[in-house]
């Protein structure tokens, strides 16, 4: 069973004491660039909160400890009853997106 998507929330910036608000259960997450809406990442996972916390959002330079300028990111989540349900929902969403993009060309 799939629940509904949460509202978009600002993704915490590294080095700040901000929290991720996400289910500690199987589900889906989607991360986008706030200014453009461009998709950053999307996945069906066993634990949404852990997956979002471990998400690589920036790149580090070989010559510096400082990371490159990070885009402002937003995320939303959708809890499911199992990973299989999350994976099935993700496949349906990807199929719909491909159908839409194919007809938009």
């Amino acid at each position: 069973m799939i629940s509904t998507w949460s509202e978009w929330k600002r993704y915490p910036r590294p080095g700040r004491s901000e929290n991720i608000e996400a289910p500690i259960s199987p589900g889906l997450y989607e991360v986008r660039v706030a200014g453009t809406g461009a998709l950053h990442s999307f996945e069906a996972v066993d634990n949404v909160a852990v997956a979002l916390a471990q998400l690589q959002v920036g790149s580090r330079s070989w010559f510096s400890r400082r990371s490159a300028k990070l885009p402002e990111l937003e995320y939303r989540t959708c809890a499911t009853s199992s990973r299989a349900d999350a994976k099935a929902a993700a496949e349906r969403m990807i199929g719909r997106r491909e159908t839409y993009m194919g007809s938009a060309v």
Side-chain angles (χ1 to χ4, degrees):
M1 184 175 110
I2 186 169
S3 64
T4 59
W5 283 99
S6 69
E7 296 294 319
W8 287 100
K9 299 171 186 147
R10 190 178 118 179
Y11 192 85
R13 305 284 293 180
R16 296 187 184 168
S17 59
E18 300 171 333
N19 295 316
I20 292 174
E21 296 175 27
I24 304 173
S25 66
L28 305 161
Y29 70 83
E30 183 175 12
V31 180
R32 69 181 182 184
V33 178
T36 64
L39 183 64
H40 179 277
S41 56
F42 170 80
E43 192 171 358
V45 294
D46 289 323
N47 185 317
V48 179
V50 169
L52 281 170
Q54 294 176 346
L55 189 65
Q56 295 292 331
V57 295
S59 60
R60 292 205 176 265
S61 167
W62 285 95
F63 305 107
S64 171
R65 298 182 118 196
R66 305 185 102 200
S67 58
K69 173 109 172 95
L70 300 175
E72 290 289 327
L73 299 176
E74 298 176 314
Y75 70 97
R76 65 180 182 164
T77 63
C78 181
T80 60
S81 56
S82 70
R83 178 131 200 295
D85 287 346
K87 189 173 180 179
E91 289 171 358
R92 282 193 306 272
M93 293 177 75
I94 290 168
R96 281 187 284 201
R97 183 172 284 161
E98 288 172 352
T99 300
Y100 172 78
M101 296 305 286
S103 65
V105 177

